[in-house]
Amino acid sequence: MNLATVILAAGKGTRMKSKLPKVLHKICGDTMISHVINAVAAAGVKKTIVVVGHGADRVTSEVAGRAQVALQEEQLGTAHALMQAAPYLSGFQGEILVLCGDTPLIEASTLLDLYHSHTEAGSDATVLTATVADPAGYGRVVRNDRGDLVKIVEQKDAAPEEKQIREINTGIYCFAAAGLFEALNRLAPNNAQGEYYLTDILEMYISEGRRVGAVRLDDPIEIMGINDRVQLAEAEKHMRGRILNELMLSGVTIIDPLSTFVDKQVRVGRDTVIYPFTFIEGDTIIGEDCVIGPNTRLINSVVGNGVSIQNSLVTESCMGDLCSIGPFAYLRPGTELARGVKVGNFSEIKKSTIGEGSKVPHLSYVGDATIGRNVNIGAGTITCNYDGHNKWPTRIGDGAFIGSNTNLVAPVNIGAGAVTGAGSTITKDVPAGALGVERAKQKNVLNWADREKDK
Ligand code: UD1
Ligand code: CA
C-alpha cells in the first residue's frame, strides 16, 4: 500500500468561539487532530502531513513526531490548503488520502475501504459521501440520472433544489498523486465564498475525462465534522459510547454508561465494576476485579488487581493489588502504594511511597514520605514537610506505629517498630523499637468542674 495522508487543519474554527485552534479541542481526553492521526496510523499509513495555519505553533507541537507539518499562511480554501502539502509529496507516486482535522470519529476501516475501492476502480479521485438526515452546512453530492457523480456544490452556492439533496460530501477523499497538484493549480475561486474549493477538482476531473468515484458510507456519524461546541459534545457522546461498549464487551461491568466517562487510552481489566459518576482519564490502567466509584476521578494512574476506590480523586499515582482507597481520599502525583495498602477517609498522600499492608485510615496528610511495610498511621497524623522554603522527607520504618494526631516535622526518621505517642510533635529521629513522645504531662485539678458549677 503506497498511501500518504494530508490532514487539513489550518482553519480557525470561528464557530467554536475559542482562543484554542479548533482541532486542539478534546474529545474523550484527546485532541480532535490526534484522533484523526490515530485513525490514519491504524490504517497503516506511514506518511502524514498536517496543514496548519491558525494556531500553527500549538497544532505543530501537538502533532510533533507523528506527522510532518505544512504551513498555510492565509486560509484561502480547502484546495489551497492541500496545495501547501505539495513540497512534502514531490516525487510521491502512490495515492493521497485527504481528510479534515475536525472529523474525530473517523475509523481506520473506513479509510481503508475508501482506499481499496479507489484503487480497485482505478480512479483518479474518489470522494467519500454519506446520506444524512440533516445536510445543513455540508457540500451536496449532485449525481446525474444514471447515478454518476456530476459535482459537489457547497451549501452557500447551492440552488434551492440542490439544497434538498441529503447525500453530502464528508470532506474525505482519495486521489492518485499523479497530476493532482498540477490540477489544483488550475482551480479558480469562482464561488460565493471566493475560496479555492477542493470539491471543484472533481468536476474538473470529470470534464477532462478522468475517472472519479464516490463511495457512500453506511454510518454517517463517523464523518461528523465538528464546527461548534454543540457538535463537540455530540461527538464526545458518540465516542464515549463506543469506548464504554468496547469495555463492556471485553468483560468490564459499567453500572450506568450515561454517567460514566472513560478516555480513549484507558485500559480496564476483566470483572472490574465501575459505579456511576466516575471519570477515568488519560493513560490510566486498571487491573481485574476492581471496584471503582461511585464519584471517583482517576487521572494518568495505574491500579492493580482487586483494588477498591470510592469517592476519591487520584492523579498520577500507582496502586498495587488489593489496595483500598477512600471514601474521600486524595492521592496526588508521585503516590506509590504497594500491595494491600489502605488509604481511608479524608487522607491526602503526595509524592510518597507506602509499603505493603500499611494503613493511613483517617484524616492524615502524608507528603514526601517513605513508609515501610505494616505501618499504622494514626488518625490525624501530619507530615510537616514544608518549612516555607523547602520540602523535606519523612522516613518511617517497617512495623512502626504512629500515634493519632502526631506531627512529624521533616526531615525526620522513625525507626522500624518504633512508636510515637498520640499528639506528639516529633522533631527528632526516633530510633528503631523506641517510643517517641513529646507532650506536656497531664495535670488533673480535682473538683474543678463542681466548683465552676457552684460559682
Ligand atoms: C468542507 C467541504 C464540504 C464538506 C465539508 C465536510 C469544501 C469547499 N467544502 O466544508 O463540501 O461537506 O467540508 O465537513 O471543501 N481548511 C484549511 N484551510 C483553508 C480552509 C479549510 O486547512 O483555507 C481546513 C479546515 O481547518 C477544516 C477543513 O479544511 O479542517 C474543512 O474546512 P471547513 O471550513 O470546515 O469546510 P466546510 O465548510 O465544513
Ligand atoms: Ca467543517
Side-chain angles (χ1 to χ4, degrees), residues 45-235:
V45 177
K46 296 285 181 291
K47 186 179 182 65
T48 298
I49 297 135
V50 178
V51 179
V52 303
H54 271 283
D57 291 348
R58 299 175 77 170
V59 180
T60 300
S61 54
E62 173 69 9
V63 307
R66 296 186 288 165
Q68 289 177 290
V69 163
L71 181 65
Q72 185 193 27
E73 285 184 21
E74 255 188 301
Q75 282 69 59
L76 302 178
T78 43
H80 181 260
L82 180 54
M83 283 293 292
Q84 311 312 307
Y88 299 86
L89 291 164
S90 68
F92 178 74
Q93 292 297 324
E95 311 302 309
I96 300 175
L97 198 61
V98 175
L99 54 167
C100 300
D102 63 354
T103 53
L105 299 178
I106 190 71
E107 299 210 54
S109 55
T110 303
L111 298 176
L112 284 173
D113 289 348
L114 174 65
Y115 169 76
H116 287 129
S117 40
H118 171 84
T119 49
E120 276 156 28
S123 294
D124 294 301
T126 307
V127 56
L128 185 67
T129 75
T131 302
V132 297
D134 177 13
Y138 288 104
R140 310 295 206 279
V141 175
V142 180
R143 294 179 184 261
N144 64 18
D145 296 342
R146 291 196 310 277
D148 298 332
L149 182 76
V150 174
K151 63 174 178 178
I152 286 167
V153 57
E154 291 306 297
Q155 162 119 358
K156 287 186 176 135
D157 304 296
E161 66 276 12
E162 288 171 333
K163 286 199 176 116
Q164 304 302 313
I165 299 172
R166 292 198 296 114
E167 187 184 4
I168 57 104
N169 170 24
T170 64
I172 299 172
Y173 319 80
C174 194
F175 293 104
L180 174 63
F181 292 107
E182 180 274 321
L184 285 171
N185 250 327
R186 288 187 282 124
L187 290 177
N190 299 327
N191 51 61
Q193 304 189 85
E195 287 186 2
Y196 294 89
Y197 284 174
L198 179 53
T199 44
D200 287 348
I201 202 165
L202 303 176
E203 205 180 351
M204 178 188 272
Y205 271 21
I206 292 166
S207 74
E208 293 172 356
R210 291 206 233 175
R211 192 183 279 268
V212 176
V215 172
R216 204 182 314 215
L217 191 70
D218 301 329
D219 176 14
I221 202 67
E222 230 186 270
I223 53 78
M224 179 182 182
I226 310 306
N227 296 316
D228 59 37
R229 299 200 202 212
V230 175
Q231 293 168 328
L232 186 73
E234 177 98 342

